Amino acid sequence: HERSFIAIKPDGVQRQLVGEVISRFEKKGYKLVAMKMIWPTKEMAANHYADLSKKPFFSGLVDYFSSGPIVAMVWEGPEVILTGRKMLGATNPNSSEPGSLRGDYCIRVGRNLIHGSDGGESAQHEIGMWFTEEECS
Ligand code: ATP
Ligand code: MG
């Protein structure tokens, strides 16, 4: 079974969109395997987005992702990585299709509500970063 790491970012939690996100993934038919609320340290945020450390927006991104609690989740189902990314919408909400989470609920790339793994390797890496094996068995 394919698994993806999905995290509701601090703005999504603050704006009370946790239920909406979970509801969409549940209604789609995916299985919630693990979930926890956690306030990431700057170090955890930098680690999570380590691939982007050379980008000009990196320090802003680290501040954003560590600015409050996130809801970290593991979802399971066929094609959940790719289809989950479609449900999130494009990175920049101004290009996200209406009907996607970012397309429906936000307007700024720097406050785009939600994270989703972008491939099999990153999904495995991210799940291992945020959860123990017992937590997602
Ligand atoms: P995520 O990894 O959070 O699911 P993504 O895979 O769609 O998003 P990435 O390229 O991995 O996009 O960028 C990670 C995050 O960095 C984006 O979701 C966004 O919050 C932030 N970001 C990306 N591009 C910019 C930018 N040009 N300016 C500010 N923030 C940005
Ligand atoms: Mg990404």
Side-chain angles (χ1 to χ4, degrees), residues 3 41-42 55 62 75 80 84 88 96 101 119-120 133-134 136:
R3 290 179 170 185
T41 61
K42 285 200 181 199
K55 301 281 185 187
V62 168
W75 287 90
V80 64
L88 266 52
S96 312
L101 283 156
E133 277 197 35
E134 284 125 23
C136 30

Side-chain angles (χ1 to χ4, degrees), residues 65-136:
F65 202 69
S66 60
S67 65
I70 65 165
V71 172
M73 299 175 285
V74 179
W75 287 90
E76 182 180 282
E79 305 286 333
V80 64
I81 297 173
L82 189 63
T83 305
R85 296 269 297 182
K86 289 181 189 161
M87 290 167 67
L88 266 52
T91 305
N92 189 325
N94 303 318
S95 308
S96 312
E97 291 294 327
S100 67
L101 283 156
R102 288 167 177 161
D104 285 350
Y105 294 116
C106 58
I107 50 176
R108 290 179 207 278
V109 68
R111 294 288 183 275
N112 62 352
L113 286 182
I114 185 159
H115 162 82
S117 303
D118 63 8
E121 256 180 52
S122 54
Q124 261 193 310
H125 180 68
E126 291 165 3
I127 290 168
M129 188 181 302
W130 294 97
F131 291 96
T132 65
E133 277 197 35
E134 284 125 23
E135 283 173 324
C136 30

Side-chain angles (χ1 to χ4, degrees), residues 38-50 62 65 129-130:
I38 179 166
W39 190 326
T41 61
K42 285 200 181 199
E43 192 183 7
M44 290 160 84
N47 213 20
H48 175 72
Y49 282 119
V62 168
F65 202 69
M129 188 181 302
W130 294 97

Side-chain angles (χ1 to χ4, degrees), residues 6 16 19 24 28 32 34-35 49 56 60 64 87 100 110 128 136:
I6 304 287
Q16 305 187 183
R24 288 191 183 201
K28 171 69 179 165
L32 182 58
M35 175 167 78
Y49 282 119
Y64 164 44
M87 290 167 67
S100 67
C136 30

